[in-house]
């Protein structure tokens, strides 16, 4: 084996075997491998076991730490990222205003943004995976699942109790808006997991503060998605009625 390969493989103790290491080295660039290695060295996880999901923007792995706890590790892709789309959600957010205009630095800011948003959701009591650490384009968080099996999305496994579904979603949206002034900006049945009847909001990198110039249109889009979904589940809900229900929670959730 070439010296260079040997060194790279020694950075990949978090991948279970040599054939998986070969694939990993093909898929990820050197800096990404170093970031995963750094987080593993700090003990956030020991092995990346397998891929749970591969999307346009990121791979999500199930990982395990030394004592057997499961983790989810989300690795954002550098090369195939939609630069224009990401910039839109970063530039107007006062927490991130100035980010260097390279693909890499944008993806790093994106990862940090997801970490911060997840933490904020925790602070205000909206159920989301607890973020544990991030480095560059790699985020480690709580694994949402049972006995190692990742929870399905609401899309695949709807809540049986539609009234609970309705009230939980109103609660989530109102808490985000009033307690944190945060707009998820991509909420739908695809980005909510159903953990045995408990709803868990995921995929939060694009969430922006309400002071973002486009916040209002992002919020309207979220409301449209959720009201369409609730209507499909048989509830008599319109965009306007959902908006009213959320507004009615303002006094309860005001900061
Ligand atoms: N913390 C987690 N625990 C378990 N599964 C997760 C977790 N985060 C993401 N997933 C799984 O990975 C999929 C993709 O994650 P998501 O954050 O929505 O990224 P994207 O949609 O940008 O690819 C989710 O639909 C879910 O199946
Ligand atoms: Mg998603």
């Amino acid at each position: 084996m070439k010296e260079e390969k040997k060194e790279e493989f020694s950075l990949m103790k978090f991948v279970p075997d040599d054939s998986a290491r070969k694939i990993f080295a093909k898929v990820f660039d050197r800096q990404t491998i170093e970031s995963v290695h750094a987080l593993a060295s700090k003990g956030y996880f020991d092995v990346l076991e397998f891929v749970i999901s591969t999307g346009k923007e990121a791979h999500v792995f199930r990982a395990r730490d030394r004592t057997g706890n499961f983790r989810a590790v989300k690795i954002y892709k550098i090369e195939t990222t939609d630069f224009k789309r990401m910039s839109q959600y970063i530039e107007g957010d006062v927490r991130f205003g100035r980010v260097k205009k390279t693909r890499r630095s944008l993806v790093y800011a994106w990862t940090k943004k997801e970490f911060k948003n997840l933490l904020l959701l925790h602070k205000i009591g909206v159920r989301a995976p607890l973020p544990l650490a991030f480095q560059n384009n790699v985020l480690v968080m709580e694994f949402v699942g049972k006995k190692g099996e990742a929870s399905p999305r609401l899309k695949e496994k709807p809540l049986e109790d539609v009234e609970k579904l309705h009230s939980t979603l109103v609660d989530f949206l109102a808490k985000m808006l009033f307690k944190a002034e945060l707009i998820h900006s991509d909420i739908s049945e695809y980005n909510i997991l159903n953990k045995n009847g408990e709803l868990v909001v995921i995929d939060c990198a694009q969430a922006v503060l309400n002071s973002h110039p486009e916040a209002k249109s992002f919020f309207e889009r979220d409301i449209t998605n959720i009201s369409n979904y609730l209507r499909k589940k048989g509830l008599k809900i319109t965009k306007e009625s959902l908006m009213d229900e959320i507004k009615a929670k303002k006094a309860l959730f005001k900061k």
Side-chain angles (χ1 to χ4, degrees):
M1 198 188 289
K2 278 205 239 133
E3 265 323 296
E4 199 184 319
K5 268 267 164 301
K6 252 194 209 159
E7 194 204 332
E8 208 163 67
F9 273 35
S10 75
L11 280 178
M12 285 193 277
K13 294 214 178 70
F14 54 81
V15 181
D17 57 60
D18 270 6
S19 69
R21 278 176 200 149
K22 265 190 203 147
I23 296 171
F24 206 86
K26 272 202 189 121
V27 174
F28 295 105
D29 61 286
R30 171 76 187 215
Q31 275 149 298
T32 299
I33 292 171
E34 282 173 4
S35 304
V36 181
H37 175 72
L39 288 162
S41 304
K42 287 179 188 157
Y44 289 106
F45 55 86
D46 195 37
V47 260
L48 294 184
E49 298 176 299
F50 52 81
V51 174
I52 305 172
S53 151
T54 292
K56 253 194 336 238
E57 284 177 356
H59 303 274
V60 179
F61 287 83
R62 190 183 85 176
R64 233 186 238 251
D65 74 5
R66 230 158 268 151
T67 55
N69 297 309
F70 296 112
R71 303 276 182 249
V73 177
K74 189 170 184 179
I75 305 181
Y76 278 101
K77 300 177 185 180
I78 307 281
E79 297 310 327
T80 54
T81 263
D82 185 343
F83 191 85
K84 254 175 117 176
R85 192 183 93 83
M86 271 188 186
S87 315
Q88 198 193 358
Y89 294 92
I90 291 191
E91 275 172 7
D93 193 309
V94 290
R95 298 171 300 172
F96 291 86
R98 276 179 301 166
V99 172
K100 266 202 293 173
K101 295 273 161 52
T102 66
R103 194 173 284 276
R104 189 172 287 279
S105 45
L106 198 67
V107 177
Y108 289 1
W110 192 249
T111 311
K112 184 177 183 181
K113 190 151 166 279
E114 174 144 48
F115 181 89
K116 283 195 162 196
N117 286 334
L118 289 172
L119 212 53
L120 196 52
L121 292 183
H122 261 265
K123 216 174 103 187
I124 61 166
V126 168
R127 185 70 175 93
L130 180 69
L132 301 168
F134 71 95
Q135 180 145 328
N136 298 330
N137 54 326
V138 185
L139 169 69
V140 188
M141 61 186 145
E142 171 195 346
F143 174 78
V144 179
K146 202 177 169 199
K147 293 187 181 151
E149 186 86 34
S151 296
R153 303 179 300 181
L154 206 47
K155 172 71 190 165
E156 283 94 34
K157 195 171 190 327
L159 269 196
E160 278 155 34
D161 182 346
V162 282
E163 257 327 306
K164 180 177 164 194
L165 172 72
H166 174 203
S167 63
T168 308
L169 293 176
V170 169
D171 212 63
F172 280 177
L173 289 166
K175 276 184 177 158
M176 284 191 236
L177 181 62
F178 299 124
K179 286 191 162 190
E181 292 176 12
L182 191 72
I183 313 293
H184 184 286
S185 309
D186 195 18
I187 200 155
S188 72
E189 61 274 32
Y190 295 92
N191 281 329
I192 300 174
L193 302 182
N194 177 355
K195 185 183 174 181
N196 301 98
E198 181 191 22
L199 301 188
V200 185
V201 179
I202 59 163
D203 211 354
C204 296
Q206 70 293 316
V208 298
L209 290 183
N210 203 14
S211 54
H212 187 292
E214 295 295 321
K216 197 158 181 275
S217 71
F218 297 157
F219 186 65
E220 290 216 351
R221 200 176 56 197
D222 281 354
I223 296 290
T224 305
N225 287 341
I226 296 297
S227 60
N228 287 345
Y229 179 68
L230 290 173
R231 232 179 1 262
K232 256 192 272 170
K233 295 290 147 203
L235 291 162
K236 281 205 175 68
I237 286 185
T238 61
K239 242 175 91 176
E240 291 71 27
S241 74
L242 182 61
M243 197 76 102
D244 289 345
E245 280 189 86
I246 292 168
K247 281 187 189 148
K249 300 259 180 188
K250 186 169 179 173
L252 187 63
F253 293 144
K254 198 74 196 140
K255 272 208 266 191

